[in-house]
């Protein structure tokens, strides 16, 4: 049904997308190091790979982004060597290119999908690139655990007008369901699950990116998942 809506409402959707691009508040990526080492305990090599949310857009410094909350939480259990490969506008194909900069890792955290959704990437193309990404993380970089952040519920984003919001929300749900079904076959797959309502207090000032509180919840939830998988990720 949403495919038919996209065809019939194409002029309206295009006009809404162009207006949003002109008027949306553009927030910078936060300051702070993108590689480092912290903590004490067994060694653990961590990679965060993603788009603007992975990069921490919505806060001023990496200390308040996913990276900061996650590395602090894990530093009590591990000697953590970490790397952040993420930038605004990154799609899944961009992430494949960014992986060229990564070395050996034990745990990967993926934050991708929003930009694939806004480009209305087909499910078949999405799955092909996501599968290649997963296999490269596992086979070339040695990841024993791959934590995958769900695509946000874009149908609830307050910034997006309808019918654009409805179309993107439906497409996001479709890609999310397809990826979960594909990755479920891999023992390294760790789907992250947390319930973040579109409460304005959890959002950045642009109404699109997470705020500091949302990043804290995301980071702590991911740390819990990594701790639970400890027997599988340590040699």
């Amino acid at each position: 049904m949403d495919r038919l809506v996209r065809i019939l409402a194409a002029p309206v959707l295009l006009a809404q997308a162009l207006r949003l691009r002109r008027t949306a508040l553009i927030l910078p990526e936060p300051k702070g190091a993108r590689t480092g080492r912290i903590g004490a305990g067994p060694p653990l090599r961590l990679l965060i790979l993603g788009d603007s949310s992975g990069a921490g857009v919505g806060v001023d410094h990496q200390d308040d982004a996913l990276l900061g909350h996650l590395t602090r939480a894990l530093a009590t259990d591990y000697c953590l060597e970490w790397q952040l490969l993420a930038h605004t506008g990154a799609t899944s194909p961009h992430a494949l290119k960014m992986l060229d900069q990564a070395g050996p890792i034990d745990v990967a955290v993926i934050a991708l999908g929003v930009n694939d959704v806004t480009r209305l990437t087909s499910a078949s193309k999405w799955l092909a690139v996501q599968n290649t990404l997963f296999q490269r993380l596992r086979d070339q970089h040695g990841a024993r655990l791959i934590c995958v952040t769900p695509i946000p519920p874009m149908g609830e984003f307050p910034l997006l007008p309808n019918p654009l919001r409805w179309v993107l929300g439906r497409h996001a749900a479709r890609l999310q369901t397809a990826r979960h079904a594909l990755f479920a076959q891999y023992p390294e797959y760790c789907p992250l699950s947390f319930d973040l309502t579109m409460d304005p207090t959890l959002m950045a000032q642009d109404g699109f990116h997470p705020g500091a509180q949302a990043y804290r919840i995301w980071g702590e939830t991911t740390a819990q998942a990594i701790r639970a998988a400890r027997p599988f990720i340590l040699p």
Side-chain angles (χ1 to χ4, degrees), residues 7-199:
I7 294 172
L8 295 176
V12 175
L13 296 173
L14 178 60
Q16 288 182 332
L18 292 174
R19 183 177 184 277
L20 193 62
R21 184 166 295 185
R22 289 194 307 268
T23 60
L25 178 62
I26 306 300
L27 299 178
E29 295 182 5
K31 299 176 182 178
R34 297 201 170 204
T35 60
R37 182 173 295 180
I38 187 175
L44 187 72
R45 298 165 298 187
L46 172 72
L47 170 68
I48 297 176
L49 180 69
D51 53 24
S52 56
S53 63
V57 170
V59 294
D60 294 329
H61 198 278
Q62 291 293 346
D63 286 347
D64 296 315
L66 169 65
L67 173 67
H69 289 290
L70 177 56
T71 54
R72 284 194 300 273
L74 292 176
T76 59
D77 301 285
Y78 301 100
C79 177
L80 191 66
E81 184 178 340
W82 52 265
Q83 181 178 18
L84 173 64
L85 295 175
H87 65 78
T88 298
T91 61
S92 296
H94 292 144
L96 280 176
K97 294 179 181 179
M98 287 192 286
L99 263 187
D100 293 338
Q101 305 171 49
I105 59 177
D106 301 306
V107 176
V109 178
I110 297 176
L112 288 167
V114 168
N115 296 308
D116 300 284
V117 171
T118 58
R119 286 163 174 77
L120 294 177
T121 302
S122 69
S124 59
K125 290 182 179 179
W126 158 256
L127 290 179
V129 177
Q130 287 282 308
N131 195 45
T132 300
L133 185 68
F134 197 103
Q135 292 184 3
R136 279 190 59 186
L137 286 166
R138 182 192 63 186
D139 300 335
Q140 296 183 24
H141 298 277
R144 299 185 181 94
L145 186 72
I146 300 175
C147 300
V148 181
T149 306
I151 301 174
M154 298 182 69
E156 300 175 22
F157 275 21
L159 177 70
L160 300 175
N162 277 316
L164 183 63
R165 183 195 304 177
W166 184 86
V167 168
L168 294 182
R170 295 269 294 188
H171 196 54
R174 181 185 300 108
L175 295 190
Q176 171 63 26
T177 299
R179 180 174 61 179
H180 180 71
L182 173 67
F183 284 0
Q185 65 181 300
Y186 297 120
E188 298 86 359
Y189 174 48
C190 176
L192 298 174
S193 177
F194 45 91
D195 183 18
L196 288 179
T197 63
M198 294 297 105
D199 184 336

